[in-house]
Amino acid sequence: MALFLLQRLGTLLITLLVASLLVFLVMEVLPGDPAAIILGVNARADTLAALRAEMGLDRPAWERYLLWLGGLVTGDLGRSYTYGVTVWELVAERIGLSLPLALMAIVLSTVLAIPLGVLAAARRNKAADVGVMGFTQLGIAIPNFWFAILLILLFAVHWQVLPAGGFAGWDAGFWPALKTLLLPAVALALPQAAILARVTRSSVLETLGEDYVRTARAKGLSRRAALWHHAVRNALIPVVTIMGLQFSFLLAGTIIIENVFYLPGLGRLIFQAIAQRDLIVVKDLVILLAASVVVVNFLVDLLYAVLDPRLRGGGHVL
Amino acid sequence: MSSETRVASLREFWQRGRGQANLMIGLLVTLLLVALAAVSLFWTPYPVNAIDIPAKLQPPSAAHWLGTDQFGRDVLSRIMAGARNSIAVSLVAVGIGAGIGVPLGALAAARRGWVEEVVMRFNDFTFAFPALLSAVMITALLGPGAVNSIIAIGIFNIPVFARLTRGAALSLWQRDFVLAARVAGRGRTRITLDHILPNIASLLIVQMTIQFALAILAEAGLSYLGLGTQPPDPSWGKMLNEAQTLMFLAPQLAIFPGLAIMVTVLGLNLLGDGLRDLLDPRLRRLR
């Protein structure tokens, strides 16, 4: 187990290192001198040179890369050109929106998908199964931003029960803030739920055919008990993996969904930072997002190994 | 395979496929979409970019079947031209993905060793970046536009095809007929071209259909964000973006482009599922 852990940890670190190098290189090629963008077109040459020196832009690329990497490791993310505050402050401000939003979406999609998937598997080829599979086909085909727009049309324009966009802020109270996140969370959750329900269905169908389920039934367990205690429990292992992989899609989804609802979260921040050529913010955010994806998948791998010891690979088989 | 047996197997395919609802519906929707896009090349009800301010924001009517937008442009004409745009972007993007990914995957399987290691590590690593985030970064780097969104979407199709090709090819390399070819002294490249690729072609076709659907969604997302096709050229994503600002005035504008995206993706997914069932009946059991 320790060896397995170390191997995975090593891969994780290498992945992050390569990711940081790539992000840095991409940002290097990006046209536009950040100092010139801050000072505008009428800047004097000496002011420009002074700012470039202050920002470290006059140093060689490898030195800037190492400085940035060092900053990442020590937690010094640097300062945003456009906002004039440290990147940490920007992130801290926005994570209070993006994290609860992502969590709401994960909870919603899980709560919706697993029962639907199990239902479809248990009632295979019956009306319920056909209905669930039809729903998942639609859920996968609907672009999440269009679904978001439809939700706005229905709940904000037509019934006027929920806001069309913006974030009330947690200072406004728990319920008002939650209300502004409800539609975005539903819009994010739907495609995830559709995929997860399909995975759950096929995973449960697979375990239903296993010998241990037949044994449980032969032992006198009811269909329902055999389904929930034996088939579903084992079927959830691949489902957890897919949930880990979906985390990355969820993050990508927030970029677009936060734009639809004008939410000041991390996704919108990264989008705006790219538009404003605020390279420090872009670099830091991209690497933070990549790191969170890698770490979440690492944790899923661990969970997987805990759930199913056969998968600990790299250890001793005998 | 002689041309006669090829025709025979095509006919057999058709006979087997005819009974499959998902395949037939998917095929129909896809053909309809392609037809719509093709017709838009030489005919649309109104000129695509013709502005007619007095006729702006009209609801669907006999003159404008799907209504008009804020500049009085005909929505149906723009959706037809948008189909052309979506298909073109997605087709080229998937072409790039398969064109680079398949050779990489085949190479990894044929060579093993460090070549495989490099290809696969690169693959693992692209997983760390959500595709849309990277696409946003790439279009930011290259500037917004249809061509750059093709590149952005194409790049993220490469690892998908590389992984699939390698996995399928690896198992083929263990098969007797490949071993026989090796014993007969055929080179790795020859074997890959003559034996490996023809045997994984059906798998690749199914994957291309699925990636095509994903590319349509990605293109719509990028142009919704303003990074894809630029105005005045119509694109479904951009139309939705514009409709969102007019939601209280003309909610119908937000309906049709989204419906077009959904039906297209649905059709392609059904086609992909249907093809998979047809080409690999073993998978049907589980789905």
Side-chain angles (χ1 to χ4, degrees):
Chain A
M1 189 69 191
L3 185 70
F4 168 79
L5 251 173
L6 276 178
Q7 270 180 355
R8 287 299 159 98
L9 211 60
T11 322
L12 184 143
L13 288 177
I14 292 172
T15 310
L16 285 179
L17 202 66
V18 178
S20 71
L21 191 63
L22 194 87
V23 170
F24 183 81
L25 288 177
V26 167
M27 291 297 134
E28 278 296 298
V29 199
L30 209 64
D33 176 355
I37 289 171
I38 294 174
L39 293 175
V41 277
N42 297 321
R44 279 171 39 193
D46 54 336
T47 333
L48 197 64
L51 185 66
R52 285 179 58 84
E54 193 194 316
M55 291 167 74
L57 292 172
D58 54 344
R59 299 185 198 193
W62 63 268
E63 208 181 314
R64 278 182 287 134
Y65 172 67
L66 288 182
L67 275 176
W68 176 58
L69 204 62
L72 283 178
V73 173
T74 55
D76 175 15
L77 293 184
R79 186 172 274 276
S80 154
Y81 310 145
T82 39
Y83 295 90
V85 294
T86 63
V87 178
W88 266 133
E89 286 173 73
L90 281 177
V91 170
E93 216 173 88
R94 281 157 173 81
I95 204 150
L97 186 158
S98 295
L99 198 63
L101 179 61
L103 285 178
M104 275 169 79
I106 291 176
V107 170
L108 264 173
S109 73
T110 314
V111 167
L112 198 66
I114 292 183
L116 282 180
V118 174
L119 176 77
R123 301 250 185 282
R124 192 182 177 193
N125 292 337
K126 304 244 173 66
D129 183 21
V130 176
V132 170
M133 291 312 276
F135 156 79
T136 61
Q137 281 285 9
L138 280 182
I140 292 169
I142 290 184
N144 58 6
F145 59 95
W146 184 53
F147 184 56
I149 292 174
L150 290 182
L151 288 175
I152 297 175
L153 272 178
L154 216 58
F155 290 92
V157 178
H158 190 67
W159 289 323
Q160 307 193 342
V161 285
L162 287 168
F167 180 54
W170 296 106
D171 300 334
F174 181 71
W175 175 236
L178 200 69
K179 244 171 105 170
T180 45
L181 291 185
L182 209 55
L183 291 185
V186 173
L188 272 176
L190 179 86
Q192 315 279 356
I195 296 168
L196 208 57
R198 287 176 85 93
V199 174
T200 308
R201 176 182 178 272
S202 54
S203 181
V204 171
L205 278 181
E206 210 163 332
T207 50
L208 275 177
E210 296 279 351
D211 289 341
Y212 55 77
V213 174
R214 199 174 312 137
T215 311
R217 289 279 283 144
K219 217 171 60 178
L221 240 64
S222 69
R223 235 185 93 83
R224 182 181 293 258
L227 175 72
W228 286 101
H229 293 301
H230 294 275
V232 174
R233 265 176 82 164
N234 286 297
L236 286 184
I237 299 176
V239 174
V240 169
T241 316
I242 297 295
M243 283 172 72
L245 289 175
Q246 280 190 326
F247 182 72
S248 146
F249 292 104
L250 203 69
L251 282 181
T254 57
I255 297 181
I256 200 159
I257 290 297
E258 286 180 359
N259 267 295
V260 179
F261 289 95
Y262 304 104
L263 294 174
L266 286 176
R268 198 162 154 79
L269 176 67
I270 201 167
F271 182 70
Q272 288 170 332
I274 289 175
Q276 292 157 344
R277 290 281 183 275
D278 199 342
L279 301 192
I280 292 191
V281 178
V282 177
K283 269 193 300 202
D284 287 347
L285 282 180
V286 171
I287 204 72
L288 279 180
L289 291 183
S292 67
V293 170
V294 176
V295 169
V296 164
N297 282 308
F298 172 69
L299 293 177
V300 167
D301 274 353
L302 285 191
L303 191 64
Y304 214 109
V306 171
L307 290 174
D308 190 343
R310 281 172 304 180
L311 296 159
R312 270 169 219 165
H316 305 284
V317 182
L318 289 177
Chain B
M1 200 190 281
S2 76
S3 64
E4 247 167 67
T5 54
R6 194 164 285 173
V7 170
S9 67
L10 268 179
R11 191 176 301 138
E12 191 202 318
F13 248 45
W14 173 247
Q15 269 157 6
R16 268 175 41 210
R18 235 178 5 190
Q20 272 176 252
N22 53 0
L23 182 70
M24 287 298 115
I25 297 172
L27 195 65
L28 193 74
V29 171
T30 308
L31 287 179
L32 210 68
L33 175 84
V34 173
L36 204 67
V39 169
S40 82
L41 283 172
F42 50 87
W43 180 83
T44 48
Y46 292 83
V48 174
N49 291 324
I51 291 176
D52 182 9
I53 298 290
K56 69 173 183 181
L57 297 179
Q58 282 181 2
S61 65
H64 297 277
W65 286 9
L66 301 183
T68 59
D69 69 2
Q70 70 275 30
F71 298 115
R73 296 175 299 194
D74 182 56
V75 171
L76 177 61
S77 306
R78 293 184 71 73
I79 285 188
M80 286 172 71
R84 188 172 74 204
N85 174 63
S86 270
I87 291 180
V89 169
S90 306
L91 208 60
V92 182
V94 174
I96 292 176
I100 300 177
V102 171
L104 274 182
L107 184 74
R111 289 271 155 219
R112 310 298 307 262
W114 67 269
V115 178
E116 183 182 30
E117 197 61 28
V118 169
V119 171
M120 293 326 287
R121 285 295 81 77
F122 174 74
N123 266 346
D124 284 351
F125 153 81
T126 51
F127 255 140
F129 293 95
L132 186 76
L133 172 64
S134 318
V136 167
M137 265 176 67
I138 290 171
T139 40
L141 171 74
L142 304 171
V147 175
N148 293 339
S149 58
I150 289 176
I151 297 173
I153 300 168
I155 288 180
F156 286 89
N157 272 304
I158 298 174
V160 174
F161 285 102
R163 183 177 300 115
L164 183 76
T165 306
R166 172 186 165 268
L170 274 183
S171 68
L172 281 176
W173 275 100
Q174 309 299 326
R175 298 275 290 273
D176 289 342
F177 67 92
V178 175
L179 291 178
R182 291 187 69 177
V183 172
R186 310 293 287 276
R188 288 173 196 272
T189 317
R190 209 51 278 154
I191 293 177
T192 300
L193 291 176
D194 290 348
H195 298 290
I196 307 287
L197 290 181
N199 275 297
I200 61 173
S202 61
L203 199 66
L204 291 175
I205 290 171
V206 171
Q207 193 65 36
M208 278 181 200
T209 323
I210 295 166
Q211 293 307 119
F212 193 81
L214 289 174
I216 298 256
L217 281 175
E219 192 280 331
L222 283 179
S223 50
Y224 173 81
L225 288 173
L227 298 170
T229 310
Q230 294 298 299
D233 289 339
S235 79
W236 295 340
K238 191 84 201 147
M239 289 172 81
L240 282 175
N241 181 315
E242 288 165 4
Q244 206 191 338
T245 55
L246 300 160
M247 230 163 3
F248 288 86
L249 273 173
Q252 78 275 6
L253 281 180
I255 303 290
F256 300 118
L259 217 52
I261 302 172
M262 190 187 79
V263 171
T264 305
V265 175
L266 193 63
L268 285 166
N269 281 340
L270 287 175
L271 181 67
D273 284 357
L275 281 175
R276 178 164 39 200
D277 290 349
L278 190 66
L279 297 168
D280 192 353
R282 278 166 304 171
L283 289 170
R284 209 179 308 178
R285 190 174 53 87
L286 287 176
R287 292 181 333 99

